[in-house]
Amino acid sequence: MTAEPLLKLVDAVTIPVPDLDAGLRFYRDALGHALLWRNDEVGQAGLALPGSDTELVLSTRQGYEPNWLVDSADAAAAAIVAASGRIVSGPTDIPVGRLVVVADPFENVLVLLDLTTGAYRTAGDGTVTGVEPPSAP
């Protein structure tokens, strides 16, 4: 058993949409969630959930799934494999860190994400303009 829990928090809940503009019309314009960032290159847009750091991420390339924040996606995946889970895909570099999709022994899929590269830097309209390196501890 590890001394510290592996899963830190739900970083995001990904919701599949046919295209970002249609998703934004529904979730931002009709339901009132503020746009935090939009990255057309990866087919995603992040929206705010009031009272939470968790984001609602609209995606043209991923299914409906929670994304769990971990210290290291590689180390977390290794721990899950050692505990009878398996790797579904990855690890993969993403603009803000690394991502690994795993399954627990019960076939529940977990998306493990670390933010080791930083966070999105955005323009006033939410368009991603780059990645801001992580803050020094």
PDB file of all heavy atoms in Angstrom, residues 13-35 45-50 55-59 64:
ATOM      1  N   VAL A  13     -13.635  16.589 -16.640  1.00  0.00           N
ATOM      2  CA  VAL A  13     -14.552  15.597 -17.174  1.00  0.00           C
ATOM      3  C   VAL A  13     -14.687  15.929 -18.654  1.00  0.00           C
ATOM      4  O   VAL A  13     -15.064  17.046 -19.016  1.00  0.00           O
ATOM      5  CB  VAL A  13     -15.922  15.638 -16.468  1.00  0.00           C
ATOM      6  CG1 VAL A  13     -16.894  14.672 -17.134  1.00  0.00           C
ATOM      7  CG2 VAL A  13     -15.766  15.320 -14.989  1.00  0.00           C
ATOM      8  N   THR A  14     -14.312  14.965 -19.489  1.00  0.00           N
ATOM      9  CA  THR A  14     -14.334  15.164 -20.931  1.00  0.00           C
ATOM     10  C   THR A  14     -15.695  14.755 -21.484  1.00  0.00           C
ATOM     11  O   THR A  14     -16.212  13.687 -21.145  1.00  0.00           O
ATOM     12  CB  THR A  14     -13.228  14.335 -21.609  1.00  0.00           C
ATOM     13  OG1 THR A  14     -11.980  14.701 -21.035  1.00  0.00           O
ATOM     14  CG2 THR A  14     -13.185  14.575 -23.095  1.00  0.00           C
ATOM     15  N   ILE A  15     -16.249  15.623 -22.330  1.00  0.00           N
ATOM     16  CA  ILE A  15     -17.536  15.359 -22.959  1.00  0.00           C
ATOM     17  C   ILE A  15     -17.339  15.421 -24.474  1.00  0.00           C
ATOM     18  O   ILE A  15     -16.874  16.439 -24.997  1.00  0.00           O
ATOM     19  CB  ILE A  15     -18.596  16.383 -22.513  1.00  0.00           C
ATOM     20  CG1 ILE A  15     -18.833  16.253 -21.009  1.00  0.00           C
ATOM     21  CG2 ILE A  15     -19.880  16.211 -23.314  1.00  0.00           C
ATOM     22  CD1 ILE A  15     -19.858  17.197 -20.455  1.00  0.00           C
ATOM     23  N   PRO A  16     -17.687  14.336 -25.187  1.00  0.00           N
ATOM     24  CA  PRO A  16     -17.533  14.363 -26.637  1.00  0.00           C
ATOM     25  C   PRO A  16     -18.574  15.258 -27.300  1.00  0.00           C
ATOM     26  O   PRO A  16     -19.748  15.261 -26.897  1.00  0.00           O
ATOM     27  CB  PRO A  16     -17.728  12.896 -27.047  1.00  0.00           C
ATOM     28  CG  PRO A  16     -18.517  12.281 -25.944  1.00  0.00           C
ATOM     29  CD  PRO A  16     -18.192  13.053 -24.698  1.00  0.00           C
ATOM     30  N   VAL A  17     -18.124  16.026 -28.283  1.00  0.00           N
ATOM     31  CA  VAL A  17     -19.000  16.886 -29.076  1.00  0.00           C
ATOM     32  C   VAL A  17     -18.624  16.721 -30.551  1.00  0.00           C
ATOM     33  O   VAL A  17     -17.468  16.410 -30.860  1.00  0.00           O
ATOM     34  CB  VAL A  17     -18.899  18.371 -28.647  1.00  0.00           C
ATOM     35  CG1 VAL A  17     -19.428  18.576 -27.233  1.00  0.00           C
ATOM     36  CG2 VAL A  17     -17.471  18.896 -28.763  1.00  0.00           C
ATOM     37  N   PRO A  18     -19.572  16.930 -31.462  1.00  0.00           N
ATOM     38  CA  PRO A  18     -19.262  16.759 -32.881  1.00  0.00           C
ATOM     39  C   PRO A  18     -18.299  17.819 -33.406  1.00  0.00           C
ATOM     40  O   PRO A  18     -17.485  17.547 -34.275  1.00  0.00           O
ATOM     41  CB  PRO A  18     -20.623  16.849 -33.573  1.00  0.00           C
ATOM     42  CG  PRO A  18     -21.498  17.585 -32.616  1.00  0.00           C
ATOM     43  CD  PRO A  18     -20.969  17.264 -31.244  1.00  0.00           C
ATOM     44  N   ASP A  19     -18.403  19.030 -32.876  1.00  0.00           N
ATOM     45  CA  ASP A  19     -17.441  20.090 -33.174  1.00  0.00           C
ATOM     46  C   ASP A  19     -17.476  21.095 -32.029  1.00  0.00           C
ATOM     47  O   ASP A  19     -18.462  21.182 -31.293  1.00  0.00           O
ATOM     48  CB  ASP A  19     -17.690  20.754 -34.548  1.00  0.00           C
ATOM     49  CG  ASP A  19     -18.976  21.551 -34.612  1.00  0.00           C
ATOM     50  OD1 ASP A  19     -19.015  22.666 -34.051  1.00  0.00           O
ATOM     51  OD2 ASP A  19     -19.952  21.067 -35.214  1.00  0.00           O
ATOM     52  N   LEU A  20     -16.369  21.821 -31.860  1.00  0.00           N
ATOM     53  CA  LEU A  20     -16.255  22.717 -30.699  1.00  0.00           C
ATOM     54  C   LEU A  20     -17.287  23.829 -30.715  1.00  0.00           C
ATOM     55  O   LEU A  20     -17.828  24.187 -29.665  1.00  0.00           O
ATOM     56  CB  LEU A  20     -14.843  23.290 -30.617  1.00  0.00           C
ATOM     57  CG  LEU A  20     -13.752  22.289 -30.267  1.00  0.00           C
ATOM     58  CD1 LEU A  20     -12.397  22.993 -30.173  1.00  0.00           C
ATOM     59  CD2 LEU A  20     -14.054  21.556 -28.971  1.00  0.00           C
ATOM     60  N   ASP A  21     -17.578  24.391 -31.868  1.00  0.00           N
ATOM     61  CA  ASP A  21     -18.552  25.482 -31.911  1.00  0.00           C
ATOM     62  C   ASP A  21     -19.933  25.019 -31.452  1.00  0.00           C
ATOM     63  O   ASP A  21     -20.598  25.714 -30.680  1.00  0.00           O
ATOM     64  CB  ASP A  21     -18.620  26.089 -33.317  1.00  0.00           C
ATOM     65  CG  ASP A  21     -17.352  26.852 -33.662  1.00  0.00           C
ATOM     66  OD1 ASP A  21     -16.725  27.435 -32.745  1.00  0.00           O
ATOM     67  OD2 ASP A  21     -16.982  26.872 -34.855  1.00  0.00           O
ATOM     68  N   ALA A  22     -20.361  23.831 -31.884  1.00  0.00           N
ATOM     69  CA  ALA A  22     -21.651  23.293 -31.449  1.00  0.00           C
ATOM     70  C   ALA A  22     -21.643  23.027 -29.942  1.00  0.00           C
ATOM     71  O   ALA A  22     -22.595  23.355 -29.234  1.00  0.00           O
ATOM     72  CB  ALA A  22     -21.981  22.003 -32.213  1.00  0.00           C
ATOM     73  N   GLY A  23     -20.545  22.462 -29.454  1.00  0.00           N
ATOM     74  CA  GLY A  23     -20.430  22.211 -28.014  1.00  0.00           C
ATOM     75  C   GLY A  23     -20.457  23.489 -27.206  1.00  0.00           C
ATOM     76  O   GLY A  23     -21.096  23.560 -26.149  1.00  0.00           O
ATOM     77  N   LEU A  24     -19.762  24.513 -27.695  1.00  0.00           N
ATOM     78  CA  LEU A  24     -19.745  25.795 -26.986  1.00  0.00           C
ATOM     79  C   LEU A  24     -21.111  26.473 -27.017  1.00  0.00           C
ATOM     80  O   LEU A  24     -21.511  27.104 -26.029  1.00  0.00           O
ATOM     81  CB  LEU A  24     -18.666  26.711 -27.564  1.00  0.00           C
ATOM     82  CG  LEU A  24     -17.238  26.294 -27.219  1.00  0.00           C
ATOM     83  CD1 LEU A  24     -16.230  27.082 -28.049  1.00  0.00           C
ATOM     84  CD2 LEU A  24     -16.966  26.453 -25.735  1.00  0.00           C
ATOM     85  N   ARG A  25     -21.839  26.347 -28.110  1.00  0.00           N
ATOM     86  CA  ARG A  25     -23.190  26.927 -28.153  1.00  0.00           C
ATOM     87  C   ARG A  25     -24.064  26.327 -27.051  1.00  0.00           C
ATOM     88  O   ARG A  25     -24.844  27.035 -26.412  1.00  0.00           O
ATOM     89  CB  ARG A  25     -23.827  26.711 -29.524  1.00  0.00           C
ATOM     90  CG  ARG A  25     -23.379  27.720 -30.556  1.00  0.00           C
ATOM     91  CD  ARG A  25     -24.228  27.684 -31.825  1.00  0.00           C
ATOM     92  NE  ARG A  25     -24.160  26.405 -32.515  1.00  0.00           N
ATOM     93  CZ  ARG A  25     -23.199  26.058 -33.381  1.00  0.00           C
ATOM     94  NH1 ARG A  25     -22.219  26.910 -33.660  1.00  0.00           N
ATOM     95  NH2 ARG A  25     -23.231  24.884 -33.966  1.00  0.00           N
ATOM     96  N   PHE A  26     -23.909  25.033 -26.803  1.00  0.00           N
ATOM     97  CA  PHE A  26     -24.726  24.395 -25.777  1.00  0.00           C
ATOM     98  C   PHE A  26     -24.200  24.659 -24.373  1.00  0.00           C
ATOM     99  O   PHE A  26     -24.913  25.197 -23.520  1.00  0.00           O
ATOM    100  CB  PHE A  26     -24.812  22.882 -26.024  1.00  0.00           C
ATOM    101  CG  PHE A  26     -25.679  22.176 -25.028  1.00  0.00           C
ATOM    102  CD1 PHE A  26     -27.061  22.257 -25.106  1.00  0.00           C
ATOM    103  CD2 PHE A  26     -25.121  21.441 -23.989  1.00  0.00           C
ATOM    104  CE1 PHE A  26     -27.867  21.610 -24.171  1.00  0.00           C
ATOM    105  CE2 PHE A  26     -25.911  20.800 -23.059  1.00  0.00           C
ATOM    106  CZ  PHE A  26     -27.293  20.883 -23.153  1.00  0.00           C
ATOM    107  N   TYR A  27     -22.951  24.281 -24.100  1.00  0.00           N
ATOM    108  CA  TYR A  27     -22.431  24.336 -22.735  1.00  0.00           C
ATOM    109  C   TYR A  27     -22.071  25.750 -22.268  1.00  0.00           C
ATOM    110  O   TYR A  27     -22.253  26.082 -21.106  1.00  0.00           O
ATOM    111  CB  TYR A  27     -21.227  23.392 -22.577  1.00  0.00           C
ATOM    112  CG  TYR A  27     -21.652  21.953 -22.553  1.00  0.00           C
ATOM    113  CD1 TYR A  27     -21.610  21.178 -23.706  1.00  0.00           C
ATOM    114  CD2 TYR A  27     -22.144  21.375 -21.394  1.00  0.00           C
ATOM    115  CE1 TYR A  27     -22.034  19.857 -23.693  1.00  0.00           C
ATOM    116  CE2 TYR A  27     -22.563  20.060 -21.373  1.00  0.00           C
ATOM    117  CZ  TYR A  27     -22.507  19.305 -22.519  1.00  0.00           C
ATOM    118  OH  TYR A  27     -22.938  17.995 -22.495  1.00  0.00           O
ATOM    119  N   ARG A  28     -21.559  26.587 -23.164  1.00  0.00           N
ATOM    120  CA  ARG A  28     -21.211  27.962 -22.787  1.00  0.00           C
ATOM    121  C   ARG A  28     -22.420  28.879 -22.936  1.00  0.00           C
ATOM    122  O   ARG A  28     -22.847  29.522 -21.981  1.00  0.00           O
ATOM    123  CB  ARG A  28     -20.050  28.470 -23.644  1.00  0.00           C
ATOM    124  CG  ARG A  28     -19.636  29.913 -23.308  1.00  0.00           C
ATOM    125  CD  ARG A  28     -18.701  30.502 -24.339  1.00  0.00           C
ATOM    126  NE  ARG A  28     -19.350  30.516 -25.657  1.00  0.00           N
ATOM    127  CZ  ARG A  28     -18.703  30.640 -26.798  1.00  0.00           C
ATOM    128  NH1 ARG A  28     -17.385  30.779 -26.823  1.00  0.00           N
ATOM    129  NH2 ARG A  28     -19.355  30.644 -27.937  1.00  0.00           N
ATOM    130  N   ASP A  29     -22.964  28.933 -24.152  1.00  0.00           N
ATOM    131  CA  ASP A  29     -24.007  29.911 -24.443  1.00  0.00           C
ATOM    132  C   ASP A  29     -25.348  29.571 -23.800  1.00  0.00           C
ATOM    133  O   ASP A  29     -25.997  30.440 -23.237  1.00  0.00           O
ATOM    134  CB  ASP A  29     -24.173  30.066 -25.957  1.00  0.00           C
ATOM    135  CG  ASP A  29     -22.882  30.501 -26.644  1.00  0.00           C
ATOM    136  OD1 ASP A  29     -21.963  31.004 -25.953  1.00  0.00           O
ATOM    137  OD2 ASP A  29     -22.786  30.316 -27.876  1.00  0.00           O
ATOM    138  N   ALA A  30     -25.773  28.318 -23.855  1.00  0.00           N
ATOM    139  CA  ALA A  30     -27.085  27.939 -23.312  1.00  0.00           C
ATOM    140  C   ALA A  30     -27.036  27.605 -21.822  1.00  0.00           C
ATOM    141  O   ALA A  30     -27.951  27.960 -21.084  1.00  0.00           O
ATOM    142  CB  ALA A  30     -27.661  26.761 -24.090  1.00  0.00           C
ATOM    143  N   LEU A  31     -25.940  26.936 -21.374  1.00  0.00           N
ATOM    144  CA  LEU A  31     -25.885  26.520 -19.975  1.00  0.00           C
ATOM    145  C   LEU A  31     -25.063  27.452 -19.090  1.00  0.00           C
ATOM    146  O   LEU A  31     -25.058  27.304 -17.876  1.00  0.00           O
ATOM    147  CB  LEU A  31     -25.334  25.088 -19.869  1.00  0.00           C
ATOM    148  CG  LEU A  31     -26.156  24.008 -20.584  1.00  0.00           C
ATOM    149  CD1 LEU A  31     -25.588  22.634 -20.283  1.00  0.00           C
ATOM    150  CD2 LEU A  31     -27.630  24.081 -20.222  1.00  0.00           C
ATOM    151  N   GLY A  32     -24.321  28.396 -19.688  1.00  0.00           N
ATOM    152  CA  GLY A  32     -23.663  29.433 -18.918  1.00  0.00           C
ATOM    153  C   GLY A  32     -22.277  29.143 -18.372  1.00  0.00           C
ATOM    154  O   GLY A  32     -21.787  29.877 -17.523  1.00  0.00           O
ATOM    155  N   HIS A  33     -21.599  28.090 -18.849  1.00  0.00           N
ATOM    156  CA  HIS A  33     -20.243  27.792 -18.368  1.00  0.00           C
ATOM    157  C   HIS A  33     -19.232  28.661 -19.100  1.00  0.00           C
ATOM    158  O   HIS A  33     -19.196  28.697 -20.330  1.00  0.00           O
ATOM    159  CB  HIS A  33     -19.913  26.303 -18.569  1.00  0.00           C
ATOM    160  CG  HIS A  33     -20.735  25.423 -17.703  1.00  0.00           C
ATOM    161  ND1 HIS A  33     -20.396  25.147 -16.401  1.00  0.00           N
ATOM    162  CD2 HIS A  33     -21.919  24.799 -17.932  1.00  0.00           C
ATOM    163  CE1 HIS A  33     -21.311  24.368 -15.871  1.00  0.00           C
ATOM    164  NE2 HIS A  33     -22.248  24.138 -16.773  1.00  0.00           N
ATOM    165  N   ALA A  34     -18.401  29.365 -18.340  1.00  0.00           N
ATOM    166  CA  ALA A  34     -17.421  30.300 -18.916  1.00  0.00           C
ATOM    167  C   ALA A  34     -16.289  29.544 -19.616  1.00  0.00           C
ATOM    168  O   ALA A  34     -15.776  28.544 -19.095  1.00  0.00           O
ATOM    169  CB  ALA A  34     -16.835  31.186 -17.823  1.00  0.00           C
ATOM    170  N   LEU A  35     -15.892  30.043 -20.778  1.00  0.00           N
ATOM    171  CA  LEU A  35     -14.765  29.478 -21.515  1.00  0.00           C
ATOM    172  C   LEU A  35     -13.465  29.845 -20.813  1.00  0.00           C
ATOM    173  O   LEU A  35     -13.204  31.010 -20.538  1.00  0.00           O
ATOM    174  CB  LEU A  35     -14.744  30.018 -22.949  1.00  0.00           C
ATOM    175  CG  LEU A  35     -13.582  29.548 -23.822  1.00  0.00           C
ATOM    176  CD1 LEU A  35     -13.697  28.056 -24.115  1.00  0.00           C
ATOM    177  CD2 LEU A  35     -13.547  30.357 -25.113  1.00  0.00           C
ATOM    178  N   ALA A  45     -11.906  22.274 -25.798  1.00  0.00           N
ATOM    179  CA  ALA A  45     -12.170  23.563 -25.163  1.00  0.00           C
ATOM    180  C   ALA A  45     -12.494  23.295 -23.698  1.00  0.00           C
ATOM    181  O   ALA A  45     -13.255  22.377 -23.389  1.00  0.00           O
ATOM    182  CB  ALA A  45     -13.330  24.284 -25.836  1.00  0.00           C
ATOM    183  N   GLY A  46     -11.892  24.082 -22.794  1.00  0.00           N
ATOM    184  CA  GLY A  46     -12.120  23.925 -21.366  1.00  0.00           C
ATOM    185  C   GLY A  46     -13.078  24.968 -20.841  1.00  0.00           C
ATOM    186  O   GLY A  46     -12.942  26.155 -21.133  1.00  0.00           O
ATOM    187  N   LEU A  47     -14.050  24.526 -20.056  1.00  0.00           N
ATOM    188  CA  LEU A  47     -15.046  25.415 -19.465  1.00  0.00           C
ATOM    189  C   LEU A  47     -14.986  25.312 -17.946  1.00  0.00           C
ATOM    190  O   LEU A  47     -14.652  24.262 -17.394  1.00  0.00           O
ATOM    191  CB  LEU A  47     -16.444  25.032 -19.951  1.00  0.00           C
ATOM    192  CG  LEU A  47     -16.648  25.053 -21.463  1.00  0.00           C
ATOM    193  CD1 LEU A  47     -17.961  24.383 -21.839  1.00  0.00           C
ATOM    194  CD2 LEU A  47     -16.614  26.468 -21.987  1.00  0.00           C
ATOM    195  N   ALA A  48     -15.338  26.403 -17.290  1.00  0.00           N
ATOM    196  CA  ALA A  48     -15.295  26.457 -15.827  1.00  0.00           C
ATOM    197  C   ALA A  48     -16.508  25.766 -15.207  1.00  0.00           C
ATOM    198  O   ALA A  48     -17.617  25.834 -15.740  1.00  0.00           O
ATOM    199  CB  ALA A  48     -15.247  27.911 -15.368  1.00  0.00           C
ATOM    200  N   LEU A  49     -16.257  25.099 -14.076  1.00  0.00           N
ATOM    201  CA  LEU A  49     -17.320  24.583 -13.222  1.00  0.00           C
ATOM    202  C   LEU A  49     -17.276  25.422 -11.947  1.00  0.00           C
ATOM    203  O   LEU A  49     -16.279  25.392 -11.230  1.00  0.00           O
ATOM    204  CB  LEU A  49     -17.093  23.105 -12.902  1.00  0.00           C
ATOM    205  CG  LEU A  49     -17.256  22.138 -14.068  1.00  0.00           C
ATOM    206  CD1 LEU A  49     -16.840  20.730 -13.667  1.00  0.00           C
ATOM    207  CD2 LEU A  49     -18.700  22.141 -14.549  1.00  0.00           C
ATOM    208  N   PRO A  50     -18.323  26.185 -11.651  1.00  0.00           N
ATOM    209  CA  PRO A  50     -18.306  27.077 -10.499  1.00  0.00           C
ATOM    210  C   PRO A  50     -18.000  26.330  -9.197  1.00  0.00           C
ATOM    211  O   PRO A  50     -18.472  25.217  -8.983  1.00  0.00           O
ATOM    212  CB  PRO A  50     -19.723  27.654 -10.462  1.00  0.00           C
ATOM    213  CG  PRO A  50     -20.279  27.415 -11.809  1.00  0.00           C
ATOM    214  CD  PRO A  50     -19.584  26.201 -12.361  1.00  0.00           C
ATOM    215  N   GLU A  55     -12.390  21.095 -14.587  1.00  0.00           N
ATOM    216  CA  GLU A  55     -12.882  21.691 -15.818  1.00  0.00           C
ATOM    217  C   GLU A  55     -13.818  20.739 -16.541  1.00  0.00           C
ATOM    218  O   GLU A  55     -13.700  19.524 -16.422  1.00  0.00           O
ATOM    219  CB  GLU A  55     -11.709  22.014 -16.763  1.00  0.00           C
ATOM    220  CG  GLU A  55     -10.781  23.069 -16.240  1.00  0.00           C
ATOM    221  CD  GLU A  55      -9.603  23.335 -17.167  1.00  0.00           C
ATOM    222  OE1 GLU A  55      -9.508  22.700 -18.247  1.00  0.00           O
ATOM    223  OE2 GLU A  55      -8.777  24.184 -16.811  1.00  0.00           O
ATOM    224  N   LEU A  56     -14.717  21.308 -17.300  1.00  0.00           N
ATOM    225  CA  LEU A  56     -15.549  20.574 -18.232  1.00  0.00           C
ATOM    226  C   LEU A  56     -14.843  20.739 -19.575  1.00  0.00           C
ATOM    227  O   LEU A  56     -14.699  21.857 -20.061  1.00  0.00           O
ATOM    228  CB  LEU A  56     -16.943  21.198 -18.271  1.00  0.00           C
ATOM    229  CG  LEU A  56     -17.983  20.587 -19.171  1.00  0.00           C
ATOM    230  CD1 LEU A  56     -18.314  19.178 -18.706  1.00  0.00           C
ATOM    231  CD2 LEU A  56     -19.227  21.452 -19.142  1.00  0.00           C
ATOM    232  N   VAL A  57     -14.329  19.644 -20.142  1.00  0.00           N
ATOM    233  CA  VAL A  57     -13.555  19.732 -21.383  1.00  0.00           C
ATOM    234  C   VAL A  57     -14.361  19.136 -22.530  1.00  0.00           C
ATOM    235  O   VAL A  57     -14.676  17.946 -22.525  1.00  0.00           O
ATOM    236  CB  VAL A  57     -12.192  19.025 -21.257  1.00  0.00           C
ATOM    237  CG1 VAL A  57     -11.451  19.031 -22.590  1.00  0.00           C
ATOM    238  CG2 VAL A  57     -11.346  19.701 -20.181  1.00  0.00           C
ATOM    239  N   LEU A  58     -14.699  19.985 -23.490  1.00  0.00           N
ATOM    240  CA  LEU A  58     -15.372  19.525 -24.693  1.00  0.00           C
ATOM    241  C   LEU A  58     -14.310  18.989 -25.626  1.00  0.00           C
ATOM    242  O   LEU A  58     -13.253  19.605 -25.796  1.00  0.00           O
ATOM    243  CB  LEU A  58     -16.119  20.688 -25.348  1.00  0.00           C
ATOM    244  CG  LEU A  58     -17.078  21.460 -24.443  1.00  0.00           C
ATOM    245  CD1 LEU A  58     -17.740  22.583 -25.215  1.00  0.00           C
ATOM    246  CD2 LEU A  58     -18.096  20.540 -23.799  1.00  0.00           C
ATOM    247  N   SER A  59     -14.566  17.828 -26.224  1.00  0.00           N
ATOM    248  CA  SER A  59     -13.556  17.191 -27.066  1.00  0.00           C
ATOM    249  C   SER A  59     -14.166  16.588 -28.317  1.00  0.00           C
ATOM    250  O   SER A  59     -15.207  15.922 -28.243  1.00  0.00           O
ATOM    251  CB  SER A  59     -12.831  16.094 -26.278  1.00  0.00           C
ATOM    252  OG  SER A  59     -11.890  15.450 -27.098  1.00  0.00           O
ATOM    253  N   TYR A  64     -16.599  10.240 -23.280  1.00  0.00           N
ATOM    254  CA  TYR A  64     -17.023  10.760 -21.988  1.00  0.00           C
ATOM    255  C   TYR A  64     -16.204  10.072 -20.907  1.00  0.00           C
ATOM    256  O   TYR A  64     -16.275   8.842 -20.760  1.00  0.00           O
ATOM    257  CB  TYR A  64     -18.517  10.479 -21.796  1.00  0.00           C
ATOM    258  CG  TYR A  64     -19.096  11.072 -20.540  1.00  0.00           C
ATOM    259  CD1 TYR A  64     -19.319  12.428 -20.445  1.00  0.00           C
ATOM    260  CD2 TYR A  64     -19.434  10.267 -19.469  1.00  0.00           C
ATOM    261  CE1 TYR A  64     -19.861  12.983 -19.305  1.00  0.00           C
ATOM    262  CE2 TYR A  64     -19.981  10.805 -18.315  1.00  0.00           C
ATOM    263  CZ  TYR A  64     -20.200  12.167 -18.243  1.00  0.00           C
ATOM    264  OH  TYR A  64     -20.731  12.706 -17.107  1.00  0.00           O
TER     265      TYR A  64
END
